[in-house]
Every structure is written in structure tokens, then in C-alpha cells.
Amino acid sequence: MKHHIIVKFEEGTDVQALLEPVKAIFDECLEIPGIHGVELKTSCIDRPNRYDLMIAIDMDKEALPAYDASEPHHRWKEEYGGITVKKAIFDCEE
């Protein structure tokens, strides 16, 4: 399945500057059994009603509990939760 995290950051956040450190956190998830890939995409339209970043994690459904409990997942929330205005989680089959 694909686990999508879609994020709207605080106004004025330099999303491009966040890409490398956020990608580094999520790349650590590749060590969790059942997680196969991580992809980050930024919005190509800069409007107030658009989200800024999409993180897509390719994983087996059975890997979701391990991901939720993982250190990288908790670090993501601790380090970037303070500048997150909105977040949507969407899971789908490939």
C-alpha cells in the first residue's frame, strides 16, 4: 500500500530547505521490515489553500504498526509538528 502524509506548514516556511532533513528521517524507515520505498513531493503551486509537502511511503499493510511505533516517525512529529498547520493521512492500494 501507499501511506501518504500530506502537510501544510506555517506561512513562510522554506519547504525546499526542509526536503533533505525530512527525507533523511523517512529514509531511516526503510530499515523497518515491510517498508519498501519513500518519496517526497512538493507542491508546484504556491497558494494559501494548497498543501506544501507529500510524503509517500510504499509499505506492506502489516508494516503500519511498526512504522507508527518507530523512532523516525516519532522524531518527524517532534521536529516538524510545531510548524505543521494541517496534516492529512491517506492510505491506498497501489
Side-chain angles (χ1 to χ4, degrees):
M1 77 172 191
K2 292 280 187 172
H3 176 75
H4 296 87
I5 305 162
I6 306 167
V7 184
K8 174 75 172 166
F9 291 113
E10 290 179 341
E11 184 72 28
T13 299
D14 184 351
V15 178
Q16 293 300 319
L18 298 180
L19 284 179
E20 248 184 75
V22 170
K23 178 84 164 95
I25 290 173
F26 281 94
D27 279 348
E28 292 177 28
C29 294
L30 295 170
E31 297 176 20
I32 300 170
I35 295 186
H36 311 292
V38 174
E39 183 179 16
L40 275 65
K41 299 260 186 194
T42 57
S43 178
C44 63
I45 302 294
D46 185 18
R47 290 188 180 171
N49 67 340
R50 299 295 196 266
Y51 281 71
D52 299 306
L53 177 67
M54 181 184 72
I55 303 158
I57 306 172
D58 181 14
M59 68 169 72
D60 300 335
K61 285 183 183 180
E62 299 77 21
L64 188 58
Y67 163 76
D68 284 341
S70 73
E71 190 275 334
H73 179 234
H74 289 282
R75 188 164 16 109
W76 152 252
K77 290 174 21 175
E78 289 168 12
E79 291 183 18
Y80 297 96
I83 60 171
T84 298
V85 175
K86 296 180 186 177
K87 180 172 69 172
I89 308 298
F90 181 77
D91 297 313
C92 62
E93 298 291 335
E94 291 189 57

